[in-house]
């Protein structure tokens, strides 16, 4: 076989890796538990417990749900493949580590978008927001990309036991929920709490969704988009470094 | 005979190498797993990499396929530096890693097609090629079964089928038959041999001397991360002329001087009424012994020339 174009080969690798991930990992228990059940339980406990006005809370819930679903696929794939012995074969295909990382990111991203479009439609039936058609799709796609990249980054420790990685990744993901402006609106936060909020990538999606649904946001959407983009670049860069370094650990 | 033919072809071909390892070194902490290893595998060769467990076989093959970056040294695949141009180099190879596995959540056929998709074959062609391979590997009836339910041998067959879907120029196999049932072992050896005959260069690691002997046209013996010797199985055996011997027994006792003070004999071992005589020239020794028996009216009970085995070579080269 001749390589006509290395770029073609690069994109093909990403697509095939993504397809492989979709076929194999979407139905794995940890993905279903951490990606679907968790946000649902969080929603129920919060909503039922406090009896809060859903139309105020929905953008935050949607952001949380996106965060959990999109970031739940990534942490599973690499540890699972290392344990199953498929990772070494995958690396022997004409792919680079970046191909694999982006294929994993794409799988998490598509998972997040699919689930949350459903959540959005259900929410919209009941709540009927005047949706901003221009911002919402961009916000959804960029956020899914960002959170999925975080998920892939969380897969990079060398442990080959998927359960360890899932635990570790939850340990990182949970605090990000609580400092995200989902539960307490940004306006009401001051001091250290407010500073912490800006460190959570979820904050910016909450803000963007508030803007898309209610036309009202704390920051300018441009700032939100930029922040999500910057987080994505940071996560991908770190994922590349760590995955490369831990490439053969646990093979 | 078949191997002789292949050897001949190799000799006649221009000595262009498809895999070239130049001074490869890899350390893990304070273990030097591979130490300044150099060799060249020629086109269409069946190259064996033989060594005991922990010798550095897997580490070497991982450097050759670009999975591990050597601390120093260069790997050229068909002239392409694998570090500088990994994708291009990887397009030319198929790999069966030692611990490598296929996806157990996919069917046999899905695994093979997935593999082929990475090389950019159109789906239609892949369907056809996958079916052919499945038939060749005796798995056609099971092609739509999940690999989860397969035996180890069957999994390894799918593994190899997946690795050759793109007709690679070079096939790397890291101990492909270890731990498999005899039937799968035989099938794998036959198929790899056929591929070699059709022109694929094979790089096979093994700790099994007999396997190397059966299959390979050239063997490198690696021990403690260093290459001890590289040669054809025949040459490796004959390097050990001193380990050639003649075993014999006569019906009656005879003058010990015949064997003890014989210029042709290097060393003597007595095993009951049988003698094992180590010699550089078994031919002349046998003629001498028959003549002696004739002259002294002795009956030969047994007389046999023992060639050195590849095992002798291996033991000699891998002695600590
Ligand atoms: N990833 C690794 N980390 C640490 N040591 C390793 C690693 N891989 C191999 N080794 C060591 O390198 C040596 C050679 O191993 P290996 O190449 O697997 O040998 P073989 O395949 O011939 O059995 C062994 O001593 C082994 O313990
Ligand atoms: Mg090994």
């Amino acid at each position: 076989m001749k390589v006509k174009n290395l770029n073609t080969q690069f994109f093909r690798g990403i697509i095939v890796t993504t397809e492989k991930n979709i076929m194999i990992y979407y139905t794995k228990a940890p993905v279903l538990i951490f990606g679907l059940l968790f946000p649902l339980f969080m929603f129920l406990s919060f909503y039922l417990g406090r009896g809060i006005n859903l139309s105020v809370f929905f953008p935050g819930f949607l952001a949380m749900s996106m965060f959990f679903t999109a970031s739940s696929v990534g942490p599973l794939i690499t540890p699972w493949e290392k344990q199953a012995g498929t990772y070494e074969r995958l690396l022997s295909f004409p792919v680079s580590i970046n191909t694999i990382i982006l294929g994993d990111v794409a799988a998490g991203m598509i998972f997040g978008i699919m689930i949350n479009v459903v959540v959005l439609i259900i929410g919209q039936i009941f709540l009927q927001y005047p949706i901003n058609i221009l911002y919402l799709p961009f916000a959804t796609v960029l956020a899914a990309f960002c959170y999925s990249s975080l998920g892939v980054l969380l897969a990079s420790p060398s442990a080959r036991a998927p359960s360890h990685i899932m635990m570790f990744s939850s340990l990182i993901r949970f605090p990000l929920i609580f400092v995200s402006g989902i539960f307490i609106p940004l306006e009401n936060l001051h001091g250290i709490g407010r500073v912490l909020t800006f460190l959570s990538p979820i904050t910016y999606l909450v803000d963007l969704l508030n803007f898309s649904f209610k036309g009202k946001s704390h920051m300018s959407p441009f700032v939100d988009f930029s922040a999500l983009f910057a987080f994505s670049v940071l996560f991908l860069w770190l994922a590349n470094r760590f995955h490369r370094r831990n490439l053969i650990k646990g093979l | 005979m078949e191997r002789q033919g292949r050897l001949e072809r190799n000799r006649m071909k221009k000595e262009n190498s498809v895999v070239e390892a130049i001074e490869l070194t890899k350390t893990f902490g304070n273990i030097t797993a591979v130490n300044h290893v150099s060799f060249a595998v020629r086109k269409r060769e069946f190259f064996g990499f033989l060594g005991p467990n922990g010798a550095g076989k897997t580490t070497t093959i991982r450097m050759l396929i670009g999975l591990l970056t050597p601390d120093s040294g260069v790997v050229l695949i068909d002239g392409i530096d694998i570090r500088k141009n990994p994708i291009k180099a990887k397009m030319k190879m198929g790999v069966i890693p030692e611990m490598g596995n296929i996806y157990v959540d996919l069917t046999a056929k899905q695994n093979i097609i997935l593999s082929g998709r990475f090389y950019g074959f159109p789906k239609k062609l892949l369907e056809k090629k996958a079916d052919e391979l499945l038939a060749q590997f005796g798995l056609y009836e099971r092609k739509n079964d999940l690999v989860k339910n397969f035996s180890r041998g069957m999994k390894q067959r799918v593994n190899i089928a997946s690795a050759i879907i793109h007709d690679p120029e070079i096939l790397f196999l890291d101990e492909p038959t270890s731990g498999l049932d005899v039937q799968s072992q035989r099938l794998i050896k036959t198929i790899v041999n056929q591929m070699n005959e059709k022109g694929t260069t094979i790089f096979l690691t093994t700790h099994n001397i007999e396997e190397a002997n059966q299959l390979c046209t050239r063997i490198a013996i690696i021990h403690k991360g260093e290459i001890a010797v590289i040669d054809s199985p025949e040459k490796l055996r004959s390097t050990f002329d001193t380990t050639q011997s003649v075993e014999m027994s006569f019906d009656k006792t005879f003058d010990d001087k015949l064997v003890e003070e014989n210029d042709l004999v290097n060393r003597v071992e007595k095993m009951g009424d049988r003698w094992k005589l180590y010699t550089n020239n078994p031919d002349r020794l046998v003629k001498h012994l028959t003549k002696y028996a004739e002259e002294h009216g002795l009956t030969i009970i047994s007389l046999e020339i023992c060639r050195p085995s590849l095992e002798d070579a291996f033991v000699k080269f891998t002695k600590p």
Side-chain angles (χ1 to χ4, degrees):
Chain A
M1 280 242 83
K2 283 266 176 321
V3 196
K4 287 195 204 82
N5 187 333
L6 282 179
N7 283 329
T8 316
Q9 181 59 28
F10 180 65
F11 288 116
R12 177 194 301 139
I14 295 173
I15 291 166
V16 179
T17 308
T18 308
E19 278 176 26
K20 179 256 313 171
N21 292 337
I22 291 174
M23 279 195 286
I24 296 172
Y25 297 102
Y26 277 11
T27 50
K28 290 273 177 254
V31 169
L32 297 178
I33 292 167
F34 287 99
L36 294 183
L37 290 183
F38 243 88
L40 184 64
F41 285 145
M42 291 278 287
F43 165 72
L44 288 178
S45 62
F46 195 67
Y47 176 62
L48 298 177
R50 294 230 230 142
I52 211 160
N53 181 357
L54 192 58
S55 76
V56 174
F57 180 56
F58 187 72
F61 169 64
L62 193 61
M64 178 182 73
S65 160
M66 176 58 95
F67 180 70
F68 266 110
T69 47
S71 65
S72 66
V73 181
L76 187 71
I77 301 175
T78 301
W80 190 286
E81 299 231 351
K82 282 189 177 179
Q83 191 179 47
T86 53
Y87 195 61
E88 192 165 351
R89 281 199 79 235
L90 184 61
L91 287 168
S92 77
F93 292 128
V95 297
S96 68
I97 189 69
N98 288 334
T99 321
I100 296 176
I101 287 176
L102 289 175
D104 293 358
V105 169
M109 194 176 153
I110 293 168
F111 188 67
I113 291 174
M114 271 175 12
I115 302 293
N116 287 287
V117 164
V118 176
V119 176
L120 175 67
I121 290 170
I122 296 172
Q124 185 61 13
I125 290 171
F126 290 105
L127 301 170
Q128 295 176 356
Y129 292 106
I131 287 179
N132 183 324
I133 291 296
L134 189 61
Y135 282 80
L136 187 60
F138 280 113
T140 306
V141 170
L142 182 58
F145 180 68
C146 179
Y147 303 157
S148 182
S149 303
L150 174 66
V152 174
L153 168 63
L154 292 175
S156 56
S158 53
R160 61 185 276 179
S163 57
H164 292 181
I165 297 283
M166 288 317 273
M167 220 137 76
F168 163 77
S169 74
S170 302
L171 219 63
I172 301 282
R173 285 188 293 167
F174 260 102
L176 292 178
I177 295 276
F178 292 107
V179 296
S180 66
I182 294 178
F183 301 113
I184 307 164
L186 280 179
E187 294 81 22
N188 305 350
L189 278 169
H190 303 285
I192 186 83
R194 198 178 159 81
V195 174
L196 281 177
T197 307
F198 290 118
L199 296 180
S200 169
I202 307 169
T203 305
Y204 305 96
L205 180 61
V206 177
D207 204 45
L208 274 177
L209 291 179
N210 274 325
F211 184 82
S212 307
F213 290 153
K214 305 175 201 162
K216 209 170 62 172
S217 68
H218 188 69
M219 290 166 281
S220 127
F222 177 75
V223 172
D224 293 324
F225 278 123
S226 306
L228 282 175
F229 185 73
F231 269 112
S232 308
V233 171
L234 176 71
F235 293 150
L236 282 178
W237 182 72
L238 288 174
N240 173 289
R241 283 194 56 127
F242 286 124
H243 277 269
R244 206 175 279 280
R245 198 168 72 195
N246 294 328
L247 195 65
I248 65 148
K249 293 210 179 119
L251 279 189
Chain B
M1 282 323 291
E2 192 180 285
R3 189 170 51 222
Q4 278 304 339
R6 262 191 284 157
L7 270 175
E8 219 35 61
R9 250 183 303 162
N10 274 332
R11 246 177 241 128
M12 292 197 308
K13 274 189 86 80
K14 220 172 57 192
E15 296 226 322
N16 47 352
S17 49
V18 277
V19 180
E20 210 171 333
I22 305 161
E23 293 285 309
L24 292 179
T25 299
K26 182 79 195 175
T27 54
F28 296 109
N30 49 16
I31 302 170
T32 304
V34 173
N35 196 359
H36 294 282
V37 161
S38 297
F39 56 84
V41 181
R42 296 171 206 134
K43 227 177 197 116
R44 306 178 70 112
E45 198 165 36
F46 200 130
F47 193 86
F49 212 58
L50 179 66
N53 281 334
K57 301 184 295 295
T58 298
T59 306
T60 305
I61 217 169
R62 282 179 171 172
M63 289 191 278
L64 296 181
I65 64 171
L67 180 62
L68 265 181
T69 309
D71 298 343
S72 64
V74 177
V75 173
L76 300 177
I77 302 292
D78 211 2
I80 303 165
D81 186 333
I82 190 137
R83 273 176 78 181
K84 295 200 183 118
N85 215 333
I87 305 290
K88 226 172 146 185
K90 281 165 149 190
M91 290 296 274
K92 293 175 181 286
M93 52 169 105
V95 182
I96 320 288
E98 185 175 24
M99 300 300 179
N101 248 321
I102 43 180
Y103 293 100
V104 293
D105 297 309
L106 303 181
T107 67
K109 189 165 174 179
Q110 280 175 327
N111 265 292
I112 297 174
I113 288 182
L114 175 71
S115 202
R117 304 248 294 121
F118 276 104
Y119 299 91
F121 289 101
K123 255 196 170 132
K124 250 217 168 98
L125 179 66
L126 279 176
E127 290 272 339
K128 190 168 147 276
K129 288 189 71 151
D131 281 342
E132 281 168 19
L133 280 169
L134 283 158
Q136 196 187 352
F137 279 88
L139 291 169
Y140 192 81
E141 273 71 48
R142 304 289 304 272
K143 66 176 181 172
N144 292 324
D145 290 1
L146 289 185
V147 167
K148 207 173 263 174
N149 308 317
F150 282 13
S151 73
R152 248 195 102 177
M154 289 161 74
K155 280 184 190 154
Q156 184 72 323
R157 283 186 252 161
V158 180
N159 196 354
I160 296 180
S162 307
I164 61 178
I165 178 89
H166 58 299
D167 297 316
E169 285 171 49
I170 315 148
L171 185 60
F172 292 93
L173 304 107
D174 196 355
E175 309 218 17
T177 58
S178 75
L180 301 185
D181 56 289
V182 179
Q183 195 199 348
S184 295
Q185 281 191 21
R186 201 175 301 151
L187 184 65
I188 287 168
K189 281 188 216 167
T190 309
I191 287 172
V192 173
N193 225 347
Q194 280 170 1
M195 288 189 63
N196 181 241
E197 267 155 24
K198 283 195 217 134
T200 310
T201 308
I202 312 278
F203 184 98
L204 172 115
T205 78
T206 180
H207 64 258
N208 184 329
I209 296 159
E210 208 25 61
E211 189 170 286
N213 191 23
Q214 274 173 19
L215 295 170
C216 302
T217 46
R218 227 150 49 96
I219 296 174
I221 295 181
I222 181 170
H223 184 53
K224 296 197 169 156
E226 293 180 25
I227 302 266
V229 63
I230 306 180
D231 222 325
S232 68
E234 290 80 6
K235 284 256 190 62
L236 278 179
R237 277 195 295 261
S238 63
T239 324
F240 300 93
D241 275 349
T242 48
T243 62
Q244 294 183 86
S245 61
V246 173
E247 275 186 31
M248 62 120 189
S249 61
F250 294 155
D251 66 334
K252 282 177 269 185
T253 49
F254 55 91
D255 190 353
D256 282 0
K257 274 192 193 132
L258 166 68
V259 293
E260 301 282 2
E261 288 169 29
N262 191 323
D263 290 343
L264 289 170
V265 177
N266 304 328
R267 193 156 59 84
V268 179
E269 267 173 36
K270 192 157 193 291
M271 310 174 295
D273 62 344
R274 285 161 64 90
W275 296 78
K276 191 173 172 81
L277 312 174
Y278 288 90
T279 177
N280 294 337
N281 197 336
D283 170 61
R284 275 192 57 204
L285 181 60
V286 166
K287 284 174 181 157
H288 179 76
L289 293 171
T290 15
K291 196 160 152 251
Y292 181 91
E294 186 83 61
E295 284 169 9
H296 293 80
L298 297 166
T299 308
I300 298 172
I301 307 288
S302 70
L303 187 63
E304 190 187 354
I305 297 177
C306 307
R307 317 291 311 186
S309 66
L310 192 57
E311 184 147 13
D312 291 325
F314 187 70
V315 168
K316 164 136 183 178
F317 277 121
T318 58
K319 254 198 299 236

